[in-house]
Amino acid sequence: MRLRWRKVALAGVIALLAPSTIAVGSPGTPAAAAQGTAAASAPAAAPVVQHKTARLCSTVKKAGQVTCFAVRQTDTVEPAALRANAVSPLVSVPGYGPPTLAAAYKLDQSKGSGHTVAIVDAFDDPHAEADLSQYRAHYGLPACTTANGCFRKVGQSGSSTVLPPPDTTGWAGEISLDLDMVSATCPKCHILLVEATDDYMSNLGTAVNRAVTLGAKYVSNSYGGVEDGSEPSSDAAYYHHPGVAITASAGDYSFGASYPATGKYVTAVGGTSLTTAASARGWTETVWSGTGSGCSAYVAKPSFQTSITTGCSNRAEADVSAVADPNTGMAVYDTYQAPGWQVFGGTSVSSPIIASVYALAGTPGAADSPNTYPSTHTSSLFDVTSGTNGSCSPSVLCTAGPGWDGPTGFGTPDGAGAFTANTIAVTNPGAQSSATGTPHSLQIQAQDSGPGAQLSYAATGLPPGLAINSGTGMILGTPTALGRTTVTTSAKDGTSATGSTTFTWVIRAPGVLTTVSPARVLDTRSGIGAVAAPVGPGAELVLQVAGRGGVPATGVSAVVVNLTVT
């Protein structure tokens, strides 16, 4: 892909040179606000302190190269007590930590055990595992090491010994950020770090494939670049993995699209400013002014965006969002060419958070594209309705409002419910009986766990002459042949969720008497339910219909049906 970076506005004009000193503003409370669960009910505080910040990764200089989307505070100093001892329960580190994410996003962090979240980054961070251990120890999280099988680091070839060259361009800090965000969101998840040989799309994409090959069902990508027309082929080569939730950062250069966030199969993750509030939730979010959003020039509109107004004829980003403002940033521990405890922001924060929320939600359906899930579970998302990341037309692409918008997508996690597969329950209509030559109709009923989902219906084993309407589930037609068949009806929604039910269908000749359980028909001439003698045309025959086991002695009466057989 060819990258055409340009200067953009982000609380002032920012050149795409790294490290660049920038000031990013947003309303809210200090980034070092209380990190405990009690903060969920804290009152609103003073506006956020505006920090000096810098982009972490080097500028993009060549075609096919990408950059990471991490921004760090440069004026936040590590507490002196932590310089000598990075793990000190008596000293608070600046920035939000795991308790904040659990409280703000209502996450059940007891889940996720055994699920593997993969992080894909460029170059090698020699301190990755050691720094991760310090971060987790400080917050009292369970150890995640190579020795206990929780952590694994490999190169894009899958080798744990043949690794890329040590980082010199800022990606090591990105690696620490990503590892810490997985830990902060899903403490019981396993972590797979796949280090690409360099920061070119071809090698990062190869690293994504390696992560999936090694068993990861959740893969985070905190990097991107401007589209150049190669996106459909890159989608097919690197990011199309049914049954795997792949997230990508929306970018840190305000309004404007970024790939792979505009990819067909990924969940594009935007960014918010997260602050405490005097509300039932205890927190509030607005658009982070630096988050990316926009329309793809080359990737077609996905099915889950056809029923919403995006302002794009093609794919639009973002799909969902999470905290990304460096002024309300997350604590990260990184010692490779770095001082230790720091505060980071950027959509490099939000992408691994969302990948880890997918892990808390459970394993995606084997044939699913999990980026479809949030659109059908919007009631399990906090709708972000204020803030902007630039000027655009239509405004929905850069300004938050009710429902979907470009900077924050459908919203931020309210638990993990928005990141689960839909379930569809198809009601069994019971055994059916019809006569040849007589029109018949049967409505199939189905319920989708995703509210408002459009269902399509199908059926196998229908008697000749009958067919199902794929849009309504109505079976109509006139049976043409005698026989007994087993019918299976199914319903499917736009997320590939399916449900089905099976029943029998008997097609009889006109005038033939049949019985349906649990009732039985008795021929009163014999009392045994079998016709005692042939019945001629015009003759009268009295039949008794009784429940299984006979008619109760009291309380009910036998039902007498007079039939004239012709």
Side-chain angles (χ1 to χ4, degrees):
M1 64 191 305
R2 184 175 64 259
L3 302 180
R4 301 181 293 277
W5 291 119
R6 58 183 176 82
K7 293 183 179 181
V8 294
L10 178 57
V13 177
I14 305 163
L16 298 187
L17 298 174
S20 303
T21 300
I22 59 177
V24 185
S26 64
T29 58
Q35 299 170 16
T37 303
S41 59
V48 143
V49 174
Q50 303 302 301
H51 291 274
K52 293 181 179 179
T53 60
R55 302 189 186 281
L56 207 61
C57 293
S58 297
T59 184
V60 171
K61 297 179 180 180
K62 298 180 180 180
Q65 195 176 19
V66 300
T67 188
C68 75
F69 290 134
V71 181
R72 65 182 178 88
Q73 294 180 6
T74 58
D75 59 356
T76 298
V77 179
E78 181 182 41
L82 292 175
R83 293 175 202 162
N85 180 12
V87 180
S88 176
L90 301 179
V91 180
S92 295
V93 300
Y96 291 148
T100 295
L101 295 184
Y105 295 132
K106 315 303 179 189
L107 302 177
D108 182 355
Q109 294 182 326
S110 68
K111 296 183 178 181
S113 180
H115 292 307
T116 297
V117 179
I119 297 301
V120 172
D121 285 309
F123 304 111
D124 179 42
D125 175 6
H127 294 186
E129 183 171 1
D131 288 348
L132 175 64
S133 294
Q134 295 283 14
Y135 178 90
R136 294 177 71 100
H138 178 83
Y139 285 107
L141 306 180
C144 187
T145 66
T146 300
N148 69 14
C150 174
F151 176 73
R152 184 179 182 186
K153 181 173 83 170
V154 299
Q156 68 184 56
S157 68
S159 172
S160 59
T161 56
V162 180
L163 300 172
D167 172 59
T168 60
T169 60
W171 283 83
E174 173 68 56
I175 289 172
S176 290
L177 164 60
D178 289 341
L179 297 178
D180 291 355
M181 291 310 96
V182 176
S183 299
T185 308
C186 185
K188 292 190 175 183
C189 284
H190 289 183
I191 305 176
L192 170 64
L193 170 60
V194 185
E195 297 178 331
T197 302
D198 55 36
D199 53 359
Y200 283 80
M201 178 60 72
S202 58
N203 285 319
L204 285 160
T206 298
V208 171
N209 290 342
R210 179 61 59 191
V212 176
T213 299
L214 293 176
K217 296 296 183 182
Y218 323 91
V219 183
S220 176
N221 303 274
S222 297
Y223 57 84
V226 175
E227 293 185 325
D228 66 358
S230 64
E231 289 69 34
S233 60
S234 292
D235 271 352
Y238 307 127
Y239 300 101
H240 184 201
H241 295 284
V244 179
I246 300 178
T247 63
S249 300
D252 293 348
Y253 300 100
S254 299
F255 176 67
S258 172
Y259 185 81
T262 55
K264 179 178 180 179
Y265 306 105
V266 307
T267 300
V269 186
T272 67
S273 295
L274 174 68
T275 58
T276 57
S279 63
R281 178 187 174 191
W283 300 85
T284 187
E285 291 177 275
T286 60
V287 172
W288 173 46
S289 60
T291 188
S293 65
C295 303
S296 172
Y298 305 102
V299 180
K301 183 188 291 286
S303 62
F304 63 87
Q305 290 187 341
T306 57
S307 61
I308 60 174
T309 300
T310 64
C312 300
S313 58
N314 287 336
R315 169 76 153 109
E317 62 164 295
D319 299 322
V320 292
S321 50
V323 60
D325 184 352
N327 291 306
T328 64
M330 299 294 299
V332 173
Y333 189 73
D334 173 31
T335 63
Y336 184 68
Q337 301 176 346
W341 287 106
Q342 303 170 78
V343 178
F344 280 61
T347 52
S348 282
V349 170
S350 55
S351 178
I353 288 175
I354 295 299
S356 302
V357 174
Y358 270 108
L360 292 175
T363 304
D368 290 0
S369 183
N371 66 345
T372 64
Y373 294 170
S375 64
T376 59
H377 295 95
T378 55
S379 62
S380 294
L381 294 167
F382 291 116
D383 192 9
V384 181
T385 59
S386 64
T388 182
N389 66 345
S391 299
C392 64
S393 181
S395 61
V396 70
L397 282 168
C398 59
T399 303
W404 184 91
D405 57 71
T408 66
F410 291 103
T412 61
D414 180 3
F419 302 90
T420 59
N422 286 358
T423 57
I424 299 176
V426 181
T427 303
N428 192 303
Q432 299 295 306
S433 177
S434 306
T436 55
T438 302
H440 191 94
S441 65
L442 175 66
Q443 178 65 59
I444 298 301
Q445 304 283 351
Q447 182 66 41
D448 195 322
S449 64
Q454 182 66 43
L455 297 177
S456 61
Y457 295 85
T460 60
L462 283 174
L466 298 179
I468 190 168
N469 184 304
S470 62
T472 66
M474 177 67 78
I475 297 175
L476 291 169
T478 301
T480 60
L482 302 178
R484 177 188 179 94
T485 62
T486 299
V487 178
T488 298
T489 57
S490 61
K492 179 180 180 180
D493 67 12
T495 71
S496 298
T498 62
S500 64
T501 190
T502 299
F503 56 94
T504 59
W505 203 317
V506 175
I507 304 300
R508 53 184 170 75
V512 173
L513 180 67
T514 60
T515 64
V516 179
S517 176
R520 58 195 179 110
V521 178
L522 303 180
D523 181 352
T524 56
R525 292 171 296 172
S526 64
I528 59 173
V531 178
V535 180
E540 187 175 86
L541 177 65
V542 179
L543 303 174
Q544 186 182 70
V545 181
R548 181 169 300 208
V551 178
T554 60
V556 297
S557 300
V559 179
V560 177
V561 181
N562 293 308
L563 299 179
T564 300
V565 181
T566 59

